[in-house]
Amino acid sequence: MNPEPDAVPPAAHGAARGVRLRWGFGTDIGLVRENNEDSLIALDPVFAVADGMGGHEAGEVASAICVRTLAKIAELPGGGRKASAGVVQQYLLSANARIREATGSRAGTTLAGLVVVERSGQPNWLVMNIGDSRIYRLSAGVLTQISVDHSAVQEMVDAGHLTRAQAAVHPRRNVVTRALGAGDEAAADFWLLPAAPGDRMLVCSDGLTGELEDDAIAAILAAEGDPQAAVDELIQAALRSGGRDNVTAIVIDAQPGDA
């Protein structure tokens, strides 16, 4: 929540049946922007990054409303671990309405994150995405992008008109096609993935992926054993590469252990 102390617990660890969670988080204004319009939440079982759009602090308001709304998932029965995609989408629709009311529909935010849920007694990552913030999973040394950007260049990549390398430098690379609080579409994409010991999840704003290639991200995630150290190095690497946007990241590790 940009981040606020009551949104991020001082002890960055928790438990789900079969796995123990450890995480780190961070955000930086970058080297060019005047305001940090990113917000984050790292409140077990919800981990999310919202990247506000609108300027004049309106984007900051939009992203903060988004993560504050998601924080209420932890108040559900069972601490939110029984949440479904349908339930989470209702929270996102609430955030969408609150953003429009607070900003007069002149601001919006992307949203990428995950909720740790249990299905048949087993832990899962319920991954969600609206816009071009991203979720990755590092497993067995392989980095995989889970989310799919809602952006103009991603549509061109999907249509075969651009390569991913061309998309990274295209003049429309910052145009998103889906956001909360702006436009006509507020539905998230969802993925449900088993959470296995050894999984390392990265949730980040495009201020990170706009500066670092996936190979560089994978190398840092593999080299830094502590999740907070990994976050710190990812942010510093993005700043060294230019820091042209706000940079926000959360790294969540699943380790062996029972609740």
Side-chain angles (χ1 to χ4, degrees), residues 55-253:
H56 304 292
E57 299 185 354
E60 181 179 346
V61 170
S63 65
I65 288 173
C66 178
V67 296
R68 287 192 180 110
T69 304
L70 288 175
K72 298 182 183 299
I73 292 175
E75 301 173 6
L76 291 171
R81 294 202 183 280
K82 300 300 182 184
S84 65
V87 168
V88 175
Q89 181 61 49
Q90 290 304 308
Y91 280 87
L92 295 178
L93 291 175
S94 175
N96 181 64
R98 292 176 61 199
I99 292 167
R100 291 180 184 276
E101 180 179 3
T103 68
S105 297
R106 61 187 175 87
T109 185
T110 69
L111 181 281
L114 61 88
V115 182
V116 182
V117 300
E118 293 183 3
R119 296 289 183 271
S120 302
Q122 299 301 315
N124 288 265
W125 310 112
L126 178 60
V127 175
M128 54 189 165
N129 182 62
I130 298 176
D132 61 355
S133 294
R134 291 181 180 175
I135 306 97
Y136 292 84
R137 177 168 62 177
L138 182 70
S139 180
V142 177
L143 184 71
T144 303
Q145 181 180 332
I146 304 301
S147 59
V148 178
D149 295 352
H150 299 130
S151 67
V153 293
Q154 183 62 50
E155 290 182 353
M156 287 186 272
V157 170
D158 292 343
H161 300 317
L162 290 178
T163 66
R164 290 197 64 173
Q166 291 170 330
V169 296
H170 194 277
R172 299 194 69 203
R173 63 186 178 277
N174 294 322
V175 177
V176 298
T177 56
R178 197 181 302 187
L180 292 173
D184 299 325
E185 182 63 79
D189 289 338
F190 289 93
W191 298 261
L192 186 66
L193 310 171
D199 281 356
R200 168 165 277 192
M201 306 296 288
L202 168 65
V203 184
C204 61
S205 64
D206 69 333
L208 181 71
T209 56
E211 300 292 357
L212 301 180
E213 298 287 345
D214 284 4
D215 287 349
I217 292 172
I220 293 170
L221 291 175
E224 298 289 349
D226 178 72
Q228 187 62 56
V231 167
D232 294 343
E233 179 54 28
L234 286 167
I235 291 175
Q236 289 305 309
L239 297 179
R240 290 193 298 268
S241 294
R244 291 164 290 183
D245 199 353
N246 310 144
V247 187
T248 303
I250 308 171
V251 171
I252 310 104
D253 288 348

